[in-house]
Amino acid sequence: MCVGCRCTDSWSVLLRVVAVRGSGTAQVRIVPDRRHRLPGRGAWLHPSSTCFEQAVRRKAFVRALRLQAGPDVSEVAAHLDLLQVHR
């Protein structure tokens, strides 16, 4: 199920994202898991900017990944921008 639009879709269509804690920092980053192999709890998202913006606005990453504070989502935004350029 997509955390942005809350629609159910095939896992091959959705992008998996994972929370990664930086070494020596308290900041949590959300990174795209392109191969669906990174360890840890993941959340699924349609690879579109509208779905991503809905997830950020609803704070869905915090709930889905069970985080204490708002994460840095810039890596996922950059990945989605790169996907849009290649289409």
Side-chain angles (χ1 to χ4, degrees):
M1 185 156 140
C2 175
V3 295
C5 64
R6 299 181 191 164
C7 294
T8 303
D9 213 336
S10 171
W11 67 270
S12 61
V13 174
L14 299 173
L15 172 68
R16 183 174 187 255
V17 295
V18 178
V20 175
R21 189 172 309 277
S23 60
T25 65
Q27 180 66 28
V28 176
R29 299 178 297 131
I30 303 294
V31 296
D33 182 10
R34 295 170 196 91
R35 297 179 60 209
H36 304 169
R37 302 259 190 271
L38 290 177
R41 186 175 183 84
W44 297 87
L45 180 73
H46 283 107
S48 70
S49 58
T50 54
C51 224
F52 172 72
E53 290 166 3
Q54 286 178 347
V56 170
R57 187 175 59 245
R58 292 182 185 146
K59 298 181 178 150
F61 294 123
V62 175
R63 282 191 307 276
L65 299 172
R66 298 181 182 167
L67 302 174
Q68 298 298 320
D72 177 17
V73 295
S74 60
E75 289 185 48
V76 176
H79 178 71
L80 293 176
D81 288 341
L82 186 64
L83 287 177
Q84 296 299 323
V85 169
H86 289 301
R87 285 188 182 176

